[in-house]
Amino acid sequence: MSIEFSRRTVLKQFTGVAAGAALVSAGGTLLAPATALAADGTWRRSTSANGWSIPNARAPFAGTCDIQGTGLTVVLRQGDTATVLAYLAQRFHYDVARLESGRGEIVGYRADRKVRADFESNHLSGTALALYPETYPLGVTGNFFPYQVTAIRDILAELGGVVKWGGDTKPSMESMFFIDVPPQSQQLKQVAATLRAWQLTPSKGAGTQNVEDPKRMKASKELAKSQKS
């Protein structure tokens, strides 16, 4: 199942203001983690928060990827990362909310080192995907209906936990998904290989899942406990 808009879309202009205020101190300065951020919010490390390298130039480490079934594209780190995140976007389109041009921006790789939270630095390494970040902004929770959250949890479990959802981060950003394993992860390689095999199998892949299957729901809940902690 899929819907075009989430239940918080209409309210985001109000809740977004409140969320933004929560990230600002009484003196009016942005409250950023002390870890790898400069005072102006610039990410200073040569790797993103998830441990992946940040090249000085986009090519050739990142490239434009098709999000199958949508007619849309996104720039991601080439290889297994692109395979996994593009598939996630495809399933989001089918099972959570439709991805359509004109609704907002889909963000993969970006070169701007200004970030508001550590996990946003994952865009710099091409290992993060934000689906309509203006619709589902930083600090705003409850954007999705319960059945949409169930679908998101199912997607994460199907991907073997190699991707983390921004709904489980602090601060929360429910539009965000990022690779949550190191560059040499064998699990990532195995998941990507499975997804490529599914592309050649008509009965496999996005659009074929029953997210309410008891076994899938059990796996989703177990992963959620792990990723929330």
Side-chain angles (χ1 to χ4, degrees), residues 30 32-33 36-44 112-117:
L30 189 66
L37 292 177
D40 62 353
T42 300
W43 187 258
R44 298 172 297 186
D112 186 357
R113 282 181 171 263
K114 293 294 180 65
V115 301
R116 298 162 297 174

Side-chain angles (χ1 to χ4, degrees), residues 153 156 164-170 178 180 220-229:
R153 295 291 182 195
L156 299 175
K164 187 167 185 175
W165 178 36
D168 292 331
T169 61
K170 294 182 180 181
F178 56 87
D180 196 36
S220 298
K221 290 177 181 179
E222 289 177 352
L223 177 62
K225 289 180 182 179
S226 172
Q227 293 192 324
K228 285 180 179 180
S229 62

